[in-house]
Amino acid sequence: MTSGRDEAARAESGPANPAGDESLADAFGAVARQLRDKSAETLAPWDITPAHLRALRTLSRHGTMRLSELSDHLQIAPRTATEVADALQARDLVRRRADPGDRRATLVEVTEHGASVLGEIRAARGTEAGRVFGRLSPADRTELARILGKLRD
């Protein structure tokens, strides 16, 4: 026989009240770790980190920009943006050139090779995302996207 206190504790932390349940945060963290690990595995053949991929995607989406703009887009320190650009340039994924409007500034842009690699990575990540999220029904995926959008904002 359970006490009223035991039932109240379960009610507060059980499925009936998931917002108050640490297991929701634990489950979210576990899925996030799983996605992060899978992402690292998927990126390994290209020797690209998730941070490098973010920069490459940002440049692909927004076009040629100054390193300071890249830093702003990625919300990282300017020195870190320089290091990311260095790593991408070493793999011929981006190139730098002087800003014709201000010779003191440097522009960075995706190379053809970088665009090709980005396309390959997108295809590989899409396949991996399909494996992870394919376990959900289309309605559940739509609902998850809606909920995550609320949490992100």
Side-chain angles (χ1 to χ4, degrees):
M1 179 155 215
T2 61
S3 72
R5 198 165 115 189
D6 291 338
E7 288 176 25
R10 268 198 311 277
E12 285 180 15
S13 65
N17 185 13
D21 190 353
E22 281 187 38
S23 69
L24 181 60
D26 291 342
F28 187 85
V31 171
R33 279 189 300 281
Q34 179 186 12
L35 288 171
R36 207 172 25 253
D37 291 347
K38 290 292 181 189
S39 179
E41 286 176 28
T42 302
L43 294 175
W46 294 278
D47 191 27
I48 292 179
T49 68
H52 296 158
L53 178 60
R54 282 184 58 224
L56 195 58
R57 285 190 343 218
T58 297
L59 289 166
S60 178
R61 185 178 310 120
H62 298 285
T64 302
M65 65 179 68
R66 291 180 177 185
L67 283 169
S68 60
E69 291 174 282
L70 181 61
S71 167
D72 291 343
H73 275 284
L74 298 176
Q75 297 178 338
I76 58 177
R79 177 70 189 133
T80 303
T82 299
E83 291 169 357
V84 168
D86 288 346
L88 293 172
Q89 186 174 14
R91 291 171 183 79
D92 189 36
L93 301 174
V94 301
R95 77 176 132 259
R96 288 185 171 110
R97 61 183 171 89
D99 183 341
D102 181 354
R103 291 182 165 243
R104 296 169 296 169
T106 300
L107 297 175
V108 63
E109 61 192 1
V110 177
T111 63
E112 283 185 36
H113 177 64
S116 173
V117 166
L118 185 56
E120 293 170 16
I121 290 171
R122 282 182 174 147
R125 286 177 57 120
T127 299
E128 189 54 47
R131 282 192 205 117
V132 172
F133 295 110
R135 295 179 266 178
L136 301 175
S137 71
D140 285 345
R141 286 194 304 272
T142 299
E143 181 67 3
L144 179 60
R146 184 192 67 75
I147 291 167
L148 292 174
K150 278 184 147 182
L151 293 175
R152 186 178 53 212
D153 296 339

